[in-house]
Amino acid sequence: MGFARTCSVTLVGVEGVVVEVQADLEPGVATFTLVGLPDKSLSESRDRVRAAVVNSGAEWPQKKLTVGLSPASVPKAGSGFDIAVASAVLGAAERIDPRVLADIVMIGELGLDGRVRPVRGILPAVLAAADAGFEQVVVPECAAAEASLVPGVSVLGVRTLRQLIAVLADEPVPDEEPDEQGRPDPLAAGLRVPGAGIHLVGAAPSDHGHDLADVVGQTSARTAVEVAAAGGHHLFLEGPPGAGKTMLAERLPALLPRLGRKESLEVTAVHSVAGLLPPGKPLIDAAPYCAPHHSATMQALVGGGPGIARPGAVSLAHRGVLFLDETPEFSSHALDALRQPLEAGHVVIARSAGVVRFPAKFLMVLAANPCPCGRFSQTDTLCECPPSAVRRYQARLSGPLLDRVDLRVEVDRVTRTELAARGAPGESTATVAARVRAARERAGARLAGTPWRSNSEIPGHELRHRWPAAPGAMDEAERSLERGFLTARGLDRVLRVAWTVADLAGHDRPGATDVALALQLRTGVPRGVPMAIGALT
């Protein structure tokens, strides 16, 4: 009788659970039993592991074999247990010293020929192993860079099971022929999922041809985009087709600061689980930009799906921008499902297979036409939509959802004069991004020692008591509350935006002008203040 054990990791959302893989050999008819709540892909590992061991030159034990995954009460999913199962079986057969395997975490799928293939979620799996106290992990060779992002863990990247056996048995490691240069790596086939509407901002806006200077006119909308980037405030752009709503949304991510180490690991973990890590870039350090189509389902937006839930668009936009173009065309159920992550900063999905939690702190940008034809306005008579159609179209965005949006701006149609103007273009992305960084630094210094990082995250009662505006500055906003133009939540959000305006303008605290601009950005009603941030400094 032989026994050996090693460890692997199963993922529940983006959180990992260390699983002990035990192999037991007993005399009897040669069978292979796998227990411990495996899913279909994990149950199929019996055939993959047997073929990989034989094709790697090792002998398969002709005895009664039982492989247990502990804790048995936790559902296990995926093919990432393959190399752990193979190593435990070879340890029980005394091909490998069982003592060597006990303190190693192994993650990776096996091909029938013995090659080690990558799996999704390497980074969160290694993070879970490090939190559990393990210091050595074995991963596929092509995923070693991603696993090495976790400090304090020794990473061994292997290309084949034959190499792993040699390393664990202290034998000469065989050389494996690399794939031809220029040819796609077959080991990564099927690992990355294209077409999810995800874009990662490059090192500079010019990398993608998106610069804020390209936007003609739209002073109010440009100011709203700058304020949204500086304070993390949600934004609603309403205007006719072709006015520049999508252009402004596409240029917003480049205004956001680069992600810190902690934020980068959070974003990378989500994209690793979703299979969306860019090739050759194991760490995402720029704000992601997610723009799902308006036909996206509620599961596509907030996460879900059959079996173990997968991250949705709100989680893929974590620490970045979620842009919903043609917002009224989205399902009302899908839009209302955004209300919980907007407040909580995470999504909790309950399924029969378990409950998963995904991070979802994102900056949401909504864009909509004023009516089905897009030509309705106070000064234009081209719209032929009946009033009832306009009301139905605008009512698709519920009041509770819009109440969670800090900035609401009308994007007017660009005039012929603005298009033909030959003067200096508007401020570039680099110029505005520098102001945004300075404003974030001011807010960060003020919020040092608190659990919040930006003005949009501060709870209302904390904001009113610890960081009030200047005396009398909120009088007009409070009168709007009494008249019913603002809710209590809306009043708190006006104060948050006022703090962001003050940070951009370099003021120590919000004054009447800062609050007036914040109120104008919230309600759309002119307050007689300049819309450009530069005019407030």
Side-chain angles (χ1 to χ4, degrees), residues 270-316:
V270 175
H271 284 70
S272 177
V273 170
L276 291 169
L277 282 183
K281 188 177 177 63
L283 182 66
I284 298 175
D285 59 357
Y289 173 79
C290 184
H293 191 261
H294 60 74
S295 62
T297 63
M298 183 171 64
Q299 289 78 12
L301 279 181
V302 301
I308 300 298
R310 296 291 183 184
V314 297
S315 297
L316 297 173

Side-chain angles (χ1 to χ4, degrees), residues 172-353:
V173 179
D175 294 328
E176 302 290 349
E177 293 185 6
D179 293 325
E180 297 181 16
Q181 294 292 331
R183 296 187 62 183
D185 187 357
L187 295 181
L191 180 63
R192 192 168 184 269
V193 181
I198 308 300
H199 169 64
L200 299 176
V201 179
S206 58
D207 292 346
H208 306 284
H210 293 166
D211 196 291
L212 203 57
D214 300 334
V215 180
V216 177
Q218 308 300 1
T219 303
S220 299
R222 289 171 60 100
T223 299
V225 168
E226 180 177 349
V227 172
H233 305 287
H234 305 306
L235 172 64
F236 177 38
L237 302 172
E238 184 180 28
K245 303 186 293 295
T246 303
M247 288 183 65
L248 288 163
E250 289 176 342
R251 285 150 180 77
L252 176 56
L255 300 179
L256 299 176
R258 308 295 288 191
L259 301 178
R261 178 72 179 183
K262 180 181 178 181
E263 291 79 12
S264 295
L265 291 176
E266 291 176 0
V267 174
T268 303
V270 175
H271 284 70
S272 177
V273 170
L276 291 169
L277 282 183
K281 188 177 177 63
L283 182 66
I284 298 175
D285 59 357
Y289 173 79
C290 184
H293 191 261
H294 60 74
S295 62
T297 63
M298 183 171 64
Q299 289 78 12
L301 279 181
V302 301
I308 300 298
R310 296 291 183 184
V314 297
S315 297
L316 297 173
H318 180 58
R319 302 294 183 186
V321 176
L322 175 67
F323 177 47
L324 302 182
D325 199 5
E326 304 292 346
T327 309
E329 301 297 338
F330 281 80
S331 163
S332 60
H333 296 293
L335 291 177
D336 286 337
L338 297 175
R339 288 153 56 180
Q340 187 264 340
L342 285 175
E343 291 290 335
H346 61 266
V347 175
V348 177
I349 304 171
R351 293 289 186 270
S352 59

Side-chain angles (χ1 to χ4, degrees), residues 75 84 139 203 205 210 252 255 257 428 451 481 525:
V139 298
H210 293 166
L252 176 56
L255 300 179
S428 66
L481 174 66
V525 178

Side-chain angles (χ1 to χ4, degrees), residues 2-8 19-25 32-36 64-72 76 81 84-93 98 101-102:
F3 177 83
R5 63 183 180 88
T6 187
C7 292
S8 190
V19 175
E20 188 176 75
V21 181
Q22 305 169 340
D24 178 72
L25 283 175
F32 189 168
T33 304
L34 182 63
V35 297
K64 180 183 178 181
L65 170 62
T66 303
V67 173
L69 308 176
S70 180
K76 289 85 178 178
F81 291 84
V85 172
S87 299
V89 171
L90 293 174
L101 303 173

Side-chain angles (χ1 to χ4, degrees), residues 462-471 473-474 495 499 508-511:
E462 293 284 349
L463 193 65
R464 291 190 300 270
H465 291 90
R466 298 178 61 177
W467 297 286
M474 293 292 292
L495 182 54
W499 266 109
D508 293 335
R509 63 192 301 190

